[in-house]
Short mmCIF file of all heavy atoms in Angstrom, two decimals:
data_model
loop_
_atom_site.label_atom_id
_atom_site.label_comp_id
_atom_site.label_asym_id
_atom_site.label_seq_id
_atom_site.Cartn_x
_atom_site.Cartn_y
_atom_site.Cartn_z
N SER H 186 111.79 176.91 34.17
CA SER H 186 112.95 176.13 33.73
C SER H 186 113.58 175.31 34.86
O SER H 186 114.48 174.50 34.61
CB SER H 186 114.01 177.05 33.12
OG SER H 186 114.41 178.05 34.06
N ASP H 187 113.13 175.51 36.10
CA ASP H 187 113.68 174.75 37.22
C ASP H 187 113.15 173.32 37.20
O ASP H 187 112.03 173.05 36.78
CB ASP H 187 113.31 175.41 38.55
CG ASP H 187 114.11 176.70 38.79
OD1 ASP H 187 115.18 176.85 38.19
OD2 ASP H 187 113.65 177.54 39.60
N THR H 188 113.97 172.41 37.72
CA THR H 188 113.63 170.99 37.67
C THR H 188 112.32 170.67 38.37
O THR H 188 111.52 169.86 37.88
CB THR H 188 114.77 170.16 38.28
OG1 THR H 188 115.96 170.36 37.51
CG2 THR H 188 114.42 168.68 38.29
N LEU H 189 112.08 171.27 39.51
CA LEU H 189 110.86 170.96 40.26
C LEU H 189 109.60 171.25 39.45
O LEU H 189 108.63 170.49 39.49
CB LEU H 189 110.82 171.73 41.58
CG LEU H 189 111.68 171.16 42.72
CD1 LEU H 189 111.58 172.04 43.96
CD2 LEU H 189 111.27 169.73 43.06
N ILE H 190 109.59 172.37 38.72
CA ILE H 190 108.44 172.72 37.91
C ILE H 190 108.35 171.82 36.69
O ILE H 190 107.26 171.43 36.26
CB ILE H 190 108.48 174.20 37.49
CG1 ILE H 190 108.50 175.10 38.73
CG2 ILE H 190 107.29 174.55 36.60
CD1 ILE H 190 107.31 174.92 39.63
N ARG H 191 109.49 171.46 36.13
CA ARG H 191 109.49 170.58 34.96
C ARG H 191 108.98 169.18 35.32
O ARG H 191 108.32 168.52 34.51
CB ARG H 191 110.90 170.50 34.37
CG ARG H 191 111.39 171.84 33.83
CD ARG H 191 112.85 171.77 33.46
NE ARG H 191 113.08 170.84 32.35
CZ ARG H 191 114.28 170.48 31.93
NH1 ARG H 191 115.37 170.95 32.53
NH2 ARG H 191 114.39 169.64 30.93
N LEU H 192 109.29 168.73 36.52
CA LEU H 192 108.81 167.42 36.96
C LEU H 192 107.38 167.48 37.49
O LEU H 192 106.58 166.57 37.27
CB LEU H 192 109.72 166.87 38.06
CG LEU H 192 111.13 166.45 37.67
CD1 LEU H 192 111.91 166.00 38.90
CD2 LEU H 192 111.11 165.34 36.61
N PHE H 193 107.07 168.58 38.20
CA PHE H 193 105.79 168.67 38.89
C PHE H 193 105.09 169.99 38.54
O PHE H 193 104.99 170.90 39.37
CB PHE H 193 106.00 168.59 40.40
CG PHE H 193 106.84 167.41 40.83
CD1 PHE H 193 108.11 167.60 41.37
CD2 PHE H 193 106.38 166.11 40.67
CE1 PHE H 193 108.89 166.54 41.77
CE2 PHE H 193 107.16 165.02 41.07
CZ PHE H 193 108.41 165.23 41.62
N PRO H 194 104.59 170.10 37.30
CA PRO H 194 103.85 171.32 36.91
C PRO H 194 102.53 171.41 37.66
O PRO H 194 102.13 170.48 38.37
CB PRO H 194 103.66 171.12 35.40
CG PRO H 194 103.66 169.64 35.22
CD PRO H 194 104.64 169.11 36.22
N ILE H 195 101.83 172.51 37.45
CA ILE H 195 100.61 172.75 38.21
C ILE H 195 99.56 171.66 37.99
O ILE H 195 98.81 171.31 38.90
CB ILE H 195 100.02 174.16 37.87
CG1 ILE H 195 98.96 174.55 38.89
CG2 ILE H 195 99.49 174.17 36.45
CD1 ILE H 195 99.50 174.81 40.26
N ARG H 196 99.53 171.07 36.78
CA ARG H 196 98.54 170.02 36.53
C ARG H 196 98.82 168.80 37.42
O ARG H 196 97.88 168.11 37.84
CB ARG H 196 98.55 169.61 35.06
CG ARG H 196 97.44 168.61 34.70
CD ARG H 196 96.09 169.16 35.14
NE ARG H 196 95.04 168.17 35.16
CZ ARG H 196 94.12 168.03 34.21
NH1 ARG H 196 94.14 168.83 33.14
NH2 ARG H 196 93.18 167.13 34.31
N PHE H 197 100.07 168.55 37.72
CA PHE H 197 100.41 167.46 38.62
C PHE H 197 99.74 167.68 39.97
O PHE H 197 99.16 166.75 40.55
CB PHE H 197 101.93 167.38 38.78
CG PHE H 197 102.40 166.31 39.73
CD1 PHE H 197 102.73 165.05 39.25
CD2 PHE H 197 102.51 166.55 41.09
CE1 PHE H 197 103.16 164.04 40.11
CE2 PHE H 197 102.94 165.57 41.96
CZ PHE H 197 103.26 164.31 41.47
N TRP H 198 99.81 168.91 40.47
CA TRP H 198 99.24 169.20 41.78
C TRP H 198 97.73 169.22 41.76
O TRP H 198 97.08 168.84 42.74
CB TRP H 198 99.81 170.52 42.30
CG TRP H 198 101.29 170.43 42.47
CD1 TRP H 198 102.26 171.05 41.74
CD2 TRP H 198 101.98 169.62 43.44
NE1 TRP H 198 103.50 170.68 42.19
CE2 TRP H 198 103.36 169.81 43.22
CE3 TRP H 198 101.56 168.76 44.45
CZ2 TRP H 198 104.32 169.16 43.98
CZ3 TRP H 198 102.51 168.11 45.21
CH2 TRP H 198 103.87 168.32 44.98
N GLN H 199 97.15 169.66 40.66
CA GLN H 199 95.69 169.59 40.54
C GLN H 199 95.22 168.14 40.64
O GLN H 199 94.28 167.83 41.38
CB GLN H 199 95.25 170.21 39.21
CG GLN H 199 95.42 171.72 39.15
CD GLN H 199 95.16 172.27 37.77
OE1 GLN H 199 95.40 171.61 36.76
NE2 GLN H 199 94.69 173.50 37.71
N ASP H 200 95.89 167.26 39.91
CA ASP H 200 95.51 165.86 39.95
C ASP H 200 95.80 165.23 41.31
O ASP H 200 95.05 164.36 41.78
CB ASP H 200 96.25 165.08 38.85
CG ASP H 200 95.74 165.42 37.46
OD1 ASP H 200 94.73 166.12 37.35
OD2 ASP H 200 96.37 164.98 36.48
N ALA H 201 96.90 165.65 41.94
CA ALA H 201 97.24 165.11 43.25
C ALA H 201 96.18 165.46 44.29
O ALA H 201 95.72 164.60 45.05
CB ALA H 201 98.61 165.63 43.70
N PHE H 202 95.78 166.72 44.31
CA PHE H 202 94.73 167.13 45.26
C PHE H 202 93.41 166.44 44.94
O PHE H 202 92.67 166.05 45.85
CB PHE H 202 94.55 168.65 45.23
CG PHE H 202 95.49 169.40 46.14
CD1 PHE H 202 96.67 169.92 45.64
CD2 PHE H 202 95.22 169.56 47.48
CE1 PHE H 202 97.55 170.61 46.47
CE2 PHE H 202 96.08 170.25 48.32
CZ PHE H 202 97.26 170.77 47.81
N LEU H 203 93.13 166.28 43.65
CA LEU H 203 91.88 165.65 43.27
C LEU H 203 91.86 164.17 43.68
O LEU H 203 90.86 163.68 44.22
CB LEU H 203 91.67 165.77 41.75
CG LEU H 203 90.31 165.31 41.21
CD1 LEU H 203 89.18 166.11 41.88
CD2 LEU H 203 90.26 165.48 39.70
N LEU H 204 92.96 163.47 43.45
CA LEU H 204 93.03 162.06 43.85
C LEU H 204 92.93 161.92 45.36
O LEU H 204 92.21 161.04 45.87
CB LEU H 204 94.32 161.43 43.35
CG LEU H 204 94.54 159.97 43.76
CD1 LEU H 204 93.43 159.09 43.23
CD2 LEU H 204 95.91 159.47 43.29
N ALA H 205 93.65 162.76 46.10
CA ALA H 205 93.57 162.70 47.56
C ALA H 205 92.14 162.96 48.04
O ALA H 205 91.66 162.30 48.97
CB ALA H 205 94.53 163.72 48.18
N ALA H 206 91.46 163.90 47.38
CA ALA H 206 90.07 164.20 47.74
C ALA H 206 89.16 163.01 47.44
O ALA H 206 88.27 162.69 48.23
CB ALA H 206 89.59 165.44 47.00
#
Side-chain angles (χ1 to χ4, degrees):
S186 57
D187 286 339
T188 298
L189 282 178
I190 301 301
R191 296 171 64 188
L192 291 177
F193 309 112
I195 194 68
R196 186 54 195 259
F197 179 93
W198 298 110
Q199 290 172 329
D200 288 352
F202 274 96
L203 188 58
L204 177 60

